Amino acid sequence: MRSFHIVLILLLAAAGISGCNKFLDVKPKGILIPEKLNDYQLMLNSRQLTLTFPAVLLYCTDNYYEEFDDISTVPAANAYYWRPGIDQNEKDNPVAWGDLYNSIYHTNVIINNVMSATDGSPEARAATLAEALVVRADCYFMLLTLFAKAYNPATAASDPGLPLVHSTDVTSKTPPRASLKTTLDTIITNVTDAIASLPLTNLNKYRPTKNAAYSLLARVYLYMQDYDNCGKYTDLLLAAPHAMLNYNDYEDAYSFPPTDFSPEVIWQRGSLDYEIPGGMGMQHALSDLYESGDLRKEFLTYTLASTPDDYHYSAENGYFNFGTTYQEMYLNKAEVLARKNQPDAAMNMLNQLRKHRFTPAAYKPVTASGQEDALKKVLEERRRELAFRGPRWMDMKRLDREGRMPLVERRVNSTGVLKATLEPGSRKYVFQIPARVQQFNPDIQLNDR
């Protein structure tokens, strides 16, 4: 019981110290470290290490539609209009940054101490450490897509990345921002180092497994436009037994298996915002992409009688997943094949997904006239399938770097009034370091906004 109370004290303390005079949430000096392996396992099941997806990663995408008051400066509005700072108040806990570094702190408690647990086999302790490495890597990756430039191999060694925090000591000096290359190298190294010790299956889908690690590496390498490595880890996943839901077998999205048990889910990530993405407005550019007979539009969207042309995203059965899925891996493979100028093979992968999403009467296999046409169709399918599931901002950034993102506009549907634009190559694809972080770290390198 004593060790359980220590964990409880640790979690409560970490959750309540957002006012700490450091740039991230850290534990007060003197808090006891857990002793038992089960204590660390409880931490891996905690809200801090399972609900790690920041809602702001949905607000800034070209999928989301909202009508904010012109004077609103809430974080959602700031992200929606791509203002320099998501949260401009120095008194507020930094949006995304604060919660994700809080999660990183919790993983560091495990990484730095679990091998000294007084019980459990060496293999069990190593597996727990490996899980924490994967969660930490994912937290860094989400921070990177918000607060650093898109990866460019020519400039990554000099572009600023993130402060890489390893200590759980509040008195430790805040590290400077590592380069973008170093940050990504660290993410990849953490995950690859973890693979050997990770289990094939785990207690629940929130807990990392070997397949979870493969899927995260596939996502990171796609962001880096390293299609060979993306294909390598995608192939490992698609070679394993897996399944996708055939929407024709269900009456609606609420009859789907709960996401916690869905065969499509590889690694589940939730959000502290329990409401997203249910009810989130959809840009017409997204809702218009869905074709007749596409059950995703029928099951996963709705309109109101007062605005029949304006679609909203609906909820599914269970807690929404922002982690990795097998359909994302099919889309990864299709894109890799298209970029390697194998359009027929790319369309074959696409059709294996699409046949599960259309009514039999409406389904027709898609074909491509060549490499560029295949890539266009893959990217459109990726936007449809992964709408409001998490990767869109990552996709926008990587596509913008290669000149494939058009101008994005924020217009009011009812009036057509233009409120903001996101131009190709814009500096707005990188948000500024939060105000509170700057306040307590005046020497931190800022982004060019």
Side-chain angles (χ1 to χ4, degrees):
M1 283 298 291
R2 179 176 179 272
S3 60
F4 176 80
H5 288 309
I6 292 172
V7 173
L8 182 60
I9 292 168
L10 176 65
L11 297 181
L12 290 175
I17 53 178
S18 60
C20 179
N21 64 347
K22 284 287 184 179
F23 73 101
L24 73 163
D25 291 325
V26 292
K27 67 171 185 176
K29 186 178 180 181
I31 284 293
L32 295 173
I33 297 298
E35 298 174 355
K36 301 293 186 181
L37 181 61
N38 186 61
D39 300 335
Y40 295 102
Q41 296 282 335
L42 288 172
M43 292 180 69
L44 286 168
N45 287 323
S46 68
R47 296 171 74 251
Q48 287 87 355
L49 299 188
T50 58
L51 310 184
T52 54
F53 180 81
V56 68
L57 274 173
L58 300 185
Y59 300 145
C60 53
T61 72
D62 57 352
N63 288 338
Y64 178 49
Y65 176 80
E66 184 57 272
E67 295 181 13
F68 289 101
D69 188 280
D70 287 342
I71 62 173
S72 175
T73 58
V74 298
N78 293 336
Y80 183 74
Y81 292 123
W82 312 292
R83 293 167 181 155
I86 299 173
D87 47 358
Q88 301 169 4
N89 190 331
E90 294 178 349
K91 296 181 181 179
D92 292 336
N93 179 46
V95 170
W97 187 288
D99 288 335
L100 284 169
Y101 269 110
N102 184 25
S103 297
I104 289 166
Y105 164 77
H106 280 73
T107 62
N108 285 339
V109 170
I110 299 172
I111 293 165
N112 294 350
N113 300 286
V114 69
M115 296 308 291
S116 299
T118 58
D119 66 342
S121 67
E123 293 77 14
R125 295 197 295 267
T128 303
L129 186 152
E131 289 188 53
L133 285 171
V134 174
V135 175
R136 184 174 72 178
D138 185 55
C139 291
Y140 277 135
F141 184 58
M142 286 185 286
L143 283 163
L144 200 67
T145 59
L146 284 167
F147 299 108
K149 293 179 180 178
Y151 177 75
N152 182 341
T155 61
S158 57
D159 290 337
L162 297 171
L164 298 175
V165 181
H166 304 288
S167 175
T168 56
D169 184 353
V170 72
T171 64
S172 295
K173 181 177 175 59
T174 298
R177 294 176 71 178
S179 71
L180 178 56
K181 182 180 185 303
T182 298
T183 305
L184 281 164
D185 286 348
T186 300
I187 290 169
I188 291 168
T189 299
N190 279 185
V191 181
T192 53
D193 285 351
I195 289 172
S197 298
L198 287 169
L200 291 173
T201 60
N202 217 322
L203 295 175
N204 56 64
K205 287 183 178 287
Y206 291 94
R207 297 282 293 275
T209 61
K210 289 185 188 295
N211 281 349
Y214 295 152
S215 68
L216 178 56
L217 286 170
R219 183 179 279 187
V220 172
Y221 278 123
L222 184 66
Y223 182 67
M224 298 174 67
Q225 299 171 303
D226 183 341
Y227 303 115
D228 288 338
N229 275 311
C230 177
K232 170 186 172 181
Y233 289 104
T234 297
D235 285 345
L236 286 171
L237 287 159
L238 296 182
H242 63 275
M244 283 192 291
L245 300 180
N246 187 334
Y247 283 20
N248 290 284
D249 295 337
Y250 300 92
E251 295 182 1
D252 52 38
Y254 295 100
S255 62
F256 289 170
T259 52
D260 308 59
F261 302 100
S262 172
E264 294 186 337
V265 174
I266 301 172
W267 187 32
Q268 181 137 342
R269 298 283 86 196
S271 174
L272 290 169
D273 185 343
Y274 294 91
E275 295 183 357
I276 62 168
M280 293 185 73
M282 301 175 69
Q283 291 284 345
H284 287 169
L286 171 60
S287 59
D288 290 347
L289 270 180
Y290 292 92
E291 304 156 79
S292 176
D294 192 330
L295 292 172
R296 289 171 295 196
K297 192 170 188 179
E298 178 180 339
F299 285 3
L300 300 175
T301 71
Y302 66 92
T303 61
L304 302 175
S306 57
T307 52
D309 295 327
D310 296 344
Y311 285 82
H312 303 262
Y313 199 78
S314 182
E316 296 181 30
N317 189 13
Y319 199 56
F320 200 85
N321 175 45
F322 299 101
T324 54
T325 59
Y326 281 105
Q327 59 264 39
E328 181 181 346
M329 298 305 117
Y330 274 81
L331 292 162
N332 285 355
K333 182 64 175 179
E335 182 171 344
V336 168
L337 290 167
R339 290 184 180 276
K340 292 181 178 293
N341 199 18
Q342 300 178 51
D344 292 343
M347 294 301 97
N348 179 56
M349 292 301 299
L350 217 58
N351 287 322
Q352 290 185 57
L353 169 62
R354 286 170 58 87
K355 68 183 180 182
H356 291 87
R357 301 302 190 244
F358 282 79
T359 63
Y363 173 71
K364 294 180 180 179
V366 292
T367 59
S369 59
Q371 180 181 18
E372 192 60 32
D373 185 42
L375 184 56
K376 177 178 180 291
K377 288 177 177 175
V378 170
L379 294 175
E380 287 179 349
E381 195 66 43
R382 184 176 177 90
R383 190 174 178 189
R384 282 187 287 261
E385 178 66 27
L386 301 181
F388 297 99
R389 296 182 184 273
R392 181 56 186 171
W393 183 246
M394 175 198 84
D395 285 345
M396 290 172 64
K397 290 185 68 166
R398 68 184 179 90
L399 295 173
D400 177 70
R401 199 192 75 75
E402 63 174 336
R404 291 186 180 276
M405 273 302 298
L407 173 72
V408 183
E409 297 180 332
R410 298 303 201 200
R411 291 185 181 273
V412 179
N413 285 347
S414 58
T415 64
V417 171
L418 180 66
K419 292 296 189 75
T421 57
L422 180 63
E423 300 81 6
S426 174
R427 295 174 181 175
K428 298 176 185 177
Y429 275 102
V430 183
F431 289 100
Q432 190 54 274
I433 302 300
R436 186 170 178 82
V437 177
Q438 295 183 45
Q439 178 187 22
F440 291 112
N441 297 269
D443 297 329
I444 194 167
Q445 184 176 359
L446 300 182
N447 292 321
D448 185 13
R449 280 294 307 251

